Amino acid sequence: MAKALLKPQRTMWSKVFTYDYWMESTGLPIHRGFYVEDLRTVGLGWWEERQCMSAFIQLAGQEGVSSARVTEIPPGQTLPPLKFALDEVVYVVAGRGLTNIWYEGSSTKKSFEWQQHSMFLIPHGTHHQFSNMQGDKPVRLLHYSYLPLALSAVPDADFFFNSPYQSPDDLAEHENYYSEAKMVQLSEGADPKGRRVYWYGNFFPDMKAWEKLDANDRRGAGGKSVYILFPNCEVFAHMSVFAARTYKKAHRHGPGRVIVIPAGEGYSIMWEEGKDKVVVPWRECSMFVPPNRWFHQHFNAGGTPARYLALHSPMQFYGHAEKVEDRARDQIEYPDEDPWIRKKFEEELAERGLKSLMPADAYTNRDFEWSKAMGKQ
C-alpha cells in the first residue's frame, strides 16, 4: 500500500496535481526541464516499494497529462510482480529481457522476450513481472501512461496499484498480439486524415529497424511515418523517419506527447509563439516533450536517417496542428520560417563536415513535391 499523501488544500487554478504529490512521496529523483540527453545514463534512486532503481521524468509539457518513468533491472534479476489498473506502454532503452503477464485467478499466463528498442503494451488490470535475461548488464525500461489524469479523477494511488478489482478483460484477447505487430494497409480514403498504414498489436520488436512506413509529405523533408495502435486500448503512438541532412516543418499541438529517439543525431527547436527559442540536442535514447502549443521543428544533422517515436497524449488532447484546415495557423511552411532556422542548420552541418540536402525550391515553392525531389537524389 502506498503511504498517505500529504496534500495542502486545493487552490483555484493550481498546477500542482495529485500525481505530483505522489511522485514526491516516493523519494525518487524527478528529472525536469526540456529534455533528457540519454535515458541510458539518467540518474536513478532506490525505490524500496518496487525493489529497484528508478526515476520519474516530468519535462515541461507533461505536467498533469502523461507519466514517464525509468526502471532499471540488475543483471540476471527479476522484479517483484505488480498489478496496474491502467494501460502502460514500455519502451526498452537498454538490455534484453522477459515479461510475464497474467490476470488474477486465470490459468492463462503470457511470456514474451524483448530487446533494446522493443516496445510493448502492459494491458490494464494485469499482473506483470520483468526479468533481465543478461547476466552482465542492467536493463533499462521507459514506462508511459496517463496516470496523472487518472489520479486527478481518483486521487488515491492504491486504487491503481495492486487493487483487488478484477478487470473483465480476458488475457486470451491479447494472446495473438505478442508476436510481432502486424501492418494494416487501409484503402484510399478510408482514413479521414489520409493515413494509409498502421501498426497494430501489443509487441513491436525493434523500433530502430522497422521500415514499413508511409509517405508524410505535409511535414516536409521527404519524411515517412506510421501510426501505432494497441488492441483494446486508447493509448497510441506514431513514428517518423526522415533523411540525413534535412529538416521538417515547424508545427504545434497539445501537451503531454513524449518523444524518444530510436536512431539518429540532430536537434529540435521549440518555442512559444513570439518568445525565445529552445534548442534540444538529441541522439539515440534521448527524450523530450514539446510543451503545449509550442512550435517545434526537428533537424537531422547526421549522415544517416533519423527517427523519432512519439507517445501520444489522449485523443481528447489531440492538437489542432493535425487538422488540415488549421495548417496555416499551426504549421510554418519553409518559405515563411525565420531565416535563422536555415542558417543554424547549415552551421550545425558544417561543424560536422556536412552540407544540407534541402532543395533550394523548398524555400520558395509552397507546392514543392518532396516525393519527386527525394527520388532524384
Side-chain angles (χ1 to χ4, degrees), residues 65-68 84 86-89 143-148 235:
V65 178
S66 62
S67 168
F84 186 35
L86 305 181
D87 291 312
E88 183 173 76
V89 176
H143 308 257
Y144 177 84
S145 74
Y146 300 155
L147 183 57
V235 182

Side-chain angles (χ1 to χ4, degrees), residues 14-27:
S14 172
K15 292 187 178 181
V16 181
F17 307 103
T18 299
Y19 177 76
D20 299 304
Y21 294 115
W22 176 72
M23 282 196 302
E24 294 285 354
S25 76
T26 67

Side-chain angles (χ1 to χ4, degrees), residues 293-312:
R293 305 297 293 156
W294 280 36
F295 282 106
H296 50 283
Q297 196 163 5
H298 309 305
F299 301 78
N300 183 348
T304 60
R307 58 181 63 203
Y308 59 86
L309 170 66
L311 304 173
H312 287 239

